[in-house]
């Protein structure tokens, strides 16, 4: 079982569900009440679930992994500034952790606040920190670099923009209010100060809580239900698949105990081409019904596909190159990853096509047993591949959650 | 009083308020239930306010003017394609109106739907259509062009990008769910077909309903409460200030009865500079307290500023160049406009500064008595001007709402 405060109770797969009024009202009382304001306790009492929902910063694992996907997200990579090394990085992670803890509790930043999130509750804000391959060289910590951070293999279908890939440090921000998310982004960027600069930054979104009554996974911009086969924190082997174990003979350095590896990909969807397909052809590409996510072989979203079932024409009902067949864990040596994406839409390009798609974010204990084998297989024969384009990529080591009084990454930076 | 279906009851100024469960549950039942789905009535019954809220398409005025600001918005301008004229424009507005009506009721598009909004309720979707100055020449309708569409004067502080300004047609989409908004954007773009092409498109956002318990206007990315002095639909002269009258001696063509003129500006905020100011300096620039929007001369957000009040130093408490002083209607010959903006954030530029600010959208019966005199005054001496940059501009004639069986703009295009 995942052990991460409130997110333990608010499991994945309920992201679109409503009425999960588990918010801690105290989180909304973080701003000191100015004389002319209603008392902060009055405000907290009348906050609805969306604003009052609070995710815990401290825990065995960092927040933002099993937290239900939020309606707004920012992904940011930073590079350490010239001259900044281990000492500056440690101070930065200490500042960032303190601020993340405050903001996730609905408080203002310790210094002068921009007030952009003022009056709003925590709104399920999460902040998650990771380290890229290049971080370890910059800080003289090569010996602590996990081999799991070795560069991903090249995939034939990659069209990667290096300027929007990789980075020394990675920050994921999610919240159910866009101003709360932006406020956190600005606060963390400002705190980077002279120690680090933004390398790339991407904005994403998911469905708003309450927009649908379906207790289901979200839809992506192709209209597909996304994340059906995600491992669930209630499953016995969830921790083993997603988190680096605390003890035992692993190839991971000890500072990664309780951590996870995240693969981030900006996957553009070629929506004009996709939407020219009829519904039947789209469903053949995926292997599932678009309406409800059920396999083409029948049942509901959670029914196991009958991969061996043939139609009257003697062909498999779920084609050999159908996306759902290729990505199934039992077709990939039991590998599993937890996909927790945001959609993105950055307007239209000059040809009038939308620059839109998926900020694919997936979590696993070992990328070589999670993302890599699946992507290798997709790269060879996924029917979906002609409708998508991987435009940016990153792989980051996300350490375990900070204990009280500790900052994220302390076990690495002060080892 | 505004007369626009549900928006009549959901007045401006309550945008951030919660619990306005006025949604029409029927709106969520628009998708035909596939055999494997729960019955549509089951789904509708359990939708919360956010998803079920429905704004009426038909009415005296178009939706999206007095509708409370939504958490997600798209602004799009189209240019008619070469060879497309009045006939094609009429057919396009007829298609667009039919689709806007369906989508605002939570239904799918009449043809094949992308399914991106499937399962979601209407989520307060609004679609608003307008005509730019160039539209009338392209369609041979010069004689019907309102003189109010004459180009705005140049302002000394403008830094306008022509490629992101103006346009033959303007569409504003707003919804409280990002997927519902994107779905509408794609549907309308696809229906433009060969008749029109996207000229520019901008994405915006506001606070999510429920994120705050304050029944207040929203905050912008500078942290200021925005829209305090907006005219309210409950005020006697609201219609006169915002809408073109149905009868009488106005200089507007008769097809604009019940319509309004919208000024759209992409106003970049120079946030790095702004945030370097201390709180006191920021408040002096605006003339209001940042915490609660009250004037520097005391009171609450809605207290009238005491513009003549001087401090111990003999200077005005609210400086002569304070933004709040310059923009007050009683300082501008009684002009008034209804501001209904979205914030925007398009990532960081190469210098590491956020490309973020305000998609300023303001409504008035006459731009020469609304936006223009205020902007002229701001242009001369607004203390805020060094922290913002107007980067794009548009002015559009937004006709009255369509009656049942009518499409938006029909009174112009079939006159």
């Amino acid at each position: 079982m995942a052990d991460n405060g409130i997110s333990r109770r608010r499991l994945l797969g309920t992201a679109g569900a409503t009425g999960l009024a588990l918010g801690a009202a105290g989180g909304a009382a973080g701003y000191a009440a100015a004389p002319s304001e209603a008392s902060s306790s009055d405000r907290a009492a009348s906050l609805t679930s969306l604003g009052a929902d609070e995710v815990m910063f401290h825990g065995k694992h960092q927040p933002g992994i099993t937290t239900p996907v939020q309606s707004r997200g920012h992904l940011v990579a930073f590079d350490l500034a010239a001259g900044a090394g281990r000492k500056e990085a440690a101070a930065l992670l200490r500042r960032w952790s303190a601020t993340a803890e405050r903001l996730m509790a609905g408080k203002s930043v310790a210094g002068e606040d921009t007030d952009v999130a003022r009056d709003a509750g925590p709104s399920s804000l999460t902040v998650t920190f990771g380290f890229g391959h290049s971080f370890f060289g910059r800080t003289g910590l090569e010996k602590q670099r996990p081999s799991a951070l070795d560069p991903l293999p090249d995939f034939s279908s990659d069209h990667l923009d290096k300027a929007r890939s990789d980075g020394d440090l990675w920050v994921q921000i999610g919240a159910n209010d866009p101003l709360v998310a932006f406020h956190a982004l600005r606060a963390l960027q400002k705190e980077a100060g002279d120690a680090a600069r933004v390398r790339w930054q991407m904005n994403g979104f998911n469905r708003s809580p309450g927009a649908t009554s379906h207790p289901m996974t979200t839809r992506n911009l192709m209209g597909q239900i996304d994340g059906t086969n995600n491992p669930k924190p209630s499953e016995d082997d969830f921790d083993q698949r997603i988190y680096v174990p605390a003890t035992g003979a692993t190839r991971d350095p000890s500072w990664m105990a309780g951590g996870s590896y995240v693969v981030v990909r900006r996957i553009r969807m070629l929506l004009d081409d996709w939407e020219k397909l009829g519904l039947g052809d789209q469903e053949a590409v995926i292997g599932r019904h678009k309406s409800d996510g059920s396999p083409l072989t029948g049942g509901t979203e959670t029914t196991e596909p009958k991969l061996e079932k043939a139609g009257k024409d003697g062909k498999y009902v779920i084609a050999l190159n159908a996306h759902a067949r290729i990505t199934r864990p039992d077709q990939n040596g039991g590998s599993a990853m937890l996909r927790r994406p945001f959609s993105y839409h950055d307007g239209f390009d000059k040809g009038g096509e939308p620059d839109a798609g998926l900020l694919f974010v997936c979590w696993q204990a070992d990328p070589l047993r999670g993302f890599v084998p699946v992507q290798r297989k997709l790269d060879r024969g996924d029917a979906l591949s002609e409708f998508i384009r991987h435009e940016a990529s990153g792989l980051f080591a996300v350490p375990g959650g900070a204990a009280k009084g500790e900052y994220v990454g302390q076990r690495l930076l002060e080892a």
Side-chain angles (χ1 to χ4, degrees), chain A:
Chain A
M1 284 287 293
D3 178 16
N4 191 20
I6 202 167
S7 63
R8 202 176 159 194
R9 288 171 287 163
R10 304 192 59 194
L11 303 180
L12 280 163
T14 60
T18 62
L20 287 167
L22 294 168
Y31 293 113
S36 55
E37 290 180 327
S39 82
S40 54
S41 59
D42 286 347
R43 282 192 278 133
S46 56
L47 273 180
T48 61
S49 170
L50 186 147
D53 274 354
E54 181 181 349
V55 183
M56 295 299 120
F57 174 73
H58 294 293
K60 189 172 167 190
H61 312 295
Q62 286 196 63
I65 303 174
T66 55
T67 313
V69 288
Q70 298 103 331
S71 63
R72 184 75 175 170
H74 299 295
L75 307 182
V76 207
F78 290 84
D79 282 338
L80 289 173
R86 177 173 173 175
K87 186 179 146 206
E88 290 77 12
L92 176 57
L93 268 296
R94 185 186 290 278
R95 289 196 299 274
W96 273 355
S97 295
T99 294
E101 180 182 359
R102 289 185 64 89
L103 299 186
M104 285 177 56
K107 298 178 184 172
S108 57
V109 299
E112 194 150 17
D113 195 278
T114 61
D115 282 337
V116 168
R118 196 176 177 116
D119 327 305
S123 306
S124 301
L125 175 69
T126 58
V127 183
T128 319
F129 301 102
F131 301 110
H133 186 275
S134 55
F135 178 83
F136 298 85
R138 304 292 305 278
T139 51
L141 288 163
E142 289 94 340
K143 285 186 181 162
Q144 294 295 326
R145 178 159 56 206
S147 59
L149 282 186
D150 288 350
L152 296 173
D154 292 330
F155 300 106
S156 66
S157 57
D158 282 353
H159 292 74
L160 303 183
D161 175 358
K162 284 288 169 194
R164 292 196 289 187
S165 297
D166 307 322
D168 293 344
L169 291 155
W170 178 75
V171 184
Q172 172 190 258
I173 295 165
N176 280 326
D177 179 77
L179 295 180
V180 167
F182 184 83
H183 176 251
L185 175 66
R186 281 299 285 169
L188 295 169
Q189 192 207 0
K190 212 178 308 180
E191 277 173 358
D194 296 331
R197 288 183 61 84
V198 172
R199 176 183 173 90
W200 55 257
Q201 193 251 313
M202 300 171 188
N203 297 336
F205 57 92
N206 282 299
R207 192 163 270 175
S208 296
T212 176
S213 59
H214 270 218
M216 71 197 311
T217 39
T218 189
R219 285 186 191 267
N220 62 35
L221 297 187
M222 286 179 157
Q224 308 291 342
I225 292 175
D226 203 323
T228 298
N229 255 327
N230 255 341
K232 317 253 174 325
S234 58
E235 293 165 357
D236 284 343
D237 58 357
F238 180 85
D239 276 12
Q240 179 192 326
R241 288 165 183 268
I242 307 306
Y243 296 121
V244 173
T247 55
T250 75
R251 64 195 189 110
D252 294 290
S254 61
W255 65 268
M256 269 297 284
S260 185
Y261 295 95
V262 64
V263 174
V264 181
R265 297 224 142 195
R266 186 185 200 267
I267 304 180
R268 181 160 174 180
M269 294 172 170
L270 308 178
L271 292 178
D272 282 356
D273 293 340
W274 173 252
E275 292 172 8
K276 274 178 203 137
L277 289 185
L279 177 63
D281 288 340
Q282 289 183 351
E283 292 184 335
V285 164
I286 302 295
R288 292 180 174 275
H289 291 111
K290 212 173 166 190
S291 60
D292 61 0
S294 63
L296 294 186
T297 49
T300 68
E301 184 189 342
T302 53
T303 303
E304 286 295 309
K306 294 175 184 155
L307 297 177
E308 303 306 317
K309 188 174 175 181
K312 285 178 184 163
D313 60 1
K315 291 181 182 166
Y316 286 124
V317 174
I318 297 173
L320 285 174
N321 65 351
H323 187 73
R325 178 190 289 267
I326 293 176
T327 54
R328 277 184 54 76
D330 60 15
Q331 301 288 304
N332 292 287
S335 68
M337 51 191 175
L338 174 66
R339 302 163 65 209
R340 190 178 182 282
F342 293 91
S343 291
Y344 78 88
H345 174 219
D346 293 338
F348 289 85
D349 66 20
K350 285 180 181 171
E353 286 213 51
D355 184 5
L358 198 69
L359 301 181
F360 175 92
V361 178
C362 84
W363 299 90
Q364 57 256 295
D366 182 354
L368 290 181
R369 302 203 313 131
F371 175 76
V372 170
V374 175
Q375 184 58 26
R376 201 169 259 148
K377 213 161 167 187
L378 288 173
D379 199 40
R380 285 192 205 120
D382 177 21
L384 187 61
S385 63
E386 62 181 290
F387 302 100
I388 60 176
R389 194 160 60 209
H390 287 238
E391 296 192 334
S393 176
L395 167 61
F396 303 95
V398 171
K404 296 231 170 186
E406 199 189 28
Y407 63 85
V408 174
Q410 184 166 343
R411 281 163 262 169
L412 165 66
L413 290 158
E414 299 188 11

